[in-house]
Amino acid sequence: MNALAARFNAIFGADMAGPLAALAAVLIVFGVASPHFLTSATFGSVAFQLPELGILTLAMLMPILTGGLNLAITFTANIAGLTLAWTLQANGGIDAGPGAFLLGSALALAVGAASGLVMGLVIAFTRAHPILVSLSMMIFLRGLGEFLTRGGDISGFPTFIAPIGHGSILGIPVPLLILIACVIASHILLSRSKLGFSTYMIGSNIESARYSGINSRKVLVLVYMLSGVMAAVAGIIMLARFNSVRVGHGESYLLITVLACFLGGINPFGGFGRVLPVFVALIVLQLLSSGLNLLGANQHLTTAVWGILLIVVMVLRWLSATFIRIVK
């Protein structure tokens, strides 16, 4: 048994055990409970619904690895989507061309980066708690968006944008391909780059990282900027998927991104965790949502289950850490 566990850890990593076990449990339980669960329709639905949530989770991941949090990711995504929408509206609306879309996307990414830049600067130079800083940014972006849109939607975009949210290439949804590209990029960034190493160092012990010669302020600013850019990518996909954009889109995603990170083995205090287990955890949560829908549960019950699951994950991690200390 020990040899098998050691081999598993060598191939997949110790932090993959929990997400893979949760994936197996969800497939078995809902596969037995509903004859329609293990079908191509279910997995096709998951493939289209997962990307915006997955990219928002990647936006949440790096701040958590530094020991922080970005509570503004969903509103950053919405403001970025609104920026793209306004650019398209200013250039003909439905008749806007690809040039307007590229310009609007660039501006949306810039808005996301600017949001992260402000948070990163405040956190890095004032040492204010990331929860308070990102909460303030969330309130600001929400209020700004509601003021500019009067609480309404903006819709009516060129038809060539639709494939970004609903199209497929060789049977694989385009938004899923974008998510996979973001997962690969995030994995390489965290595992192979100097910024990734510095991110883990700061999350483990920021003072030790400073004494090691790491420019912690620069790293924090870059991390929150990248978080904002990733959120903006999600905002662009959400615009294409819903063919409209408003300030409140995806508000419930915030809880799920945190839950996915913790279910994927990310240390809530920073310094430890990988992208791939988080990706598996995202699949688990989306399958859980689809399974509950097939059983007739409404979205409110699904949200309640996610909240309970977050508490259960934290308790199980505490019990696991306690057991390890006792054994040692």
Side-chain angles (χ1 to χ4, degrees):
M1 182 65 70
N2 290 336
L4 183 61
R7 184 174 179 81
F8 177 89
N9 293 341
I11 296 174
F12 298 104
D15 52 355
M16 282 291 284
L20 288 177
L23 176 61
V26 168
L27 291 174
I28 292 171
V29 170
F30 287 107
V32 172
S34 173
H36 304 291
F37 182 70
L38 298 177
T39 62
S40 59
T42 298
F43 293 107
S45 175
V46 168
F48 273 106
Q49 294 174 9
L50 184 65
E52 62 260 28
L53 172 60
I55 295 174
L56 284 172
T57 301
L58 294 177
M60 179 66 78
L61 175 60
M62 287 189 67
I64 290 181
L65 287 175
T66 65
L69 205 65
N70 184 357
L71 298 176
I73 54 171
T74 56
F75 289 102
T76 299
N78 290 328
I79 286 293
L82 286 170
T83 301
L84 172 56
W86 287 324
T87 304
L88 292 171
Q89 292 288 328
N91 288 274
I94 297 177
D95 298 322
F101 173 73
L102 292 176
L103 174 62
S105 297
L107 292 174
L109 295 176
V111 166
S115 170
L117 174 64
V118 172
M119 286 186 289
L121 288 172
V122 174
I123 293 168
F125 286 91
T126 70
R127 300 193 183 183
H129 200 286
I131 290 180
L132 296 177
V133 176
S134 60
L135 179 62
S136 300
M137 179 58 71
M138 180 185 77
I139 295 171
F140 167 73
L141 292 176
R142 180 174 187 170
L144 178 64
E146 289 179 344
F147 169 74
L148 293 175
T149 62
R150 300 297 188 268
D153 295 3
I154 297 179
S155 58
F157 306 120
T159 55
F160 66 81
I161 295 177
I164 298 176
H166 301 280
S168 298
I169 297 178
L170 300 177
I172 304 175
V174 172
L176 182 61
L177 291 173
I178 297 173
L179 170 60
I180 292 173
C182 291
V183 167
I184 293 173
S186 297
H187 173 72
I188 293 174
L189 176 67
L190 289 172
S191 62
R192 303 293 179 86
S193 72
K194 182 179 178 181
L195 177 61
F197 174 78
S198 300
T199 298
Y200 286 113
M201 286 289 291
I202 289 175
S204 298
N205 192 315
I206 191 168
E207 294 301 328
S208 296
R210 289 194 182 102
Y211 288 128
S212 299
I214 294 175
N215 188 337
S216 60
R217 289 177 173 174
K218 179 180 178 181
V219 172
L220 285 171
V221 170
L222 287 174
V223 162
Y224 280 88
M225 283 184 66
L226 288 173
S227 175
V229 169
M230 196 68 75
V233 173
I236 295 171
I237 293 177
M238 289 163 66
L239 178 147
R241 177 171 168 74
F242 301 127
N243 196 36
S244 67
V245 60
R246 64 180 176 84
V247 177
H249 272 166
E251 282 188 84
S252 62
Y253 287 161
L254 183 61
L255 166 68
I256 313 170
T257 61
V258 176
L259 174 56
C261 287
F262 292 164
L263 185 60
I266 302 299
N267 190 329
F269 301 105
F272 179 81
R274 295 188 303 144
V275 174
L276 296 183
V278 172
F279 181 59
V280 176
L282 281 166
I283 297 174
V284 170
L285 293 175
Q286 196 61 62
L287 286 172
L288 176 63
S289 176
S290 297
L292 289 172
N293 287 336
L294 286 174
L295 295 179
N298 61 34
Q299 184 60 41
H300 299 295
L301 178 59
T302 303
T303 303
V305 171
W306 281 329
I308 291 296
L309 184 58
L310 178 56
I311 295 174
V312 170
V313 168
M314 300 304 294
V315 171
L316 289 177
R317 292 184 67 165
W318 175 78
L319 290 174
S320 176
T322 303
F323 176 76
I324 291 174
R325 285 198 299 268
I326 293 174
V327 170
K328 289 182 177 180

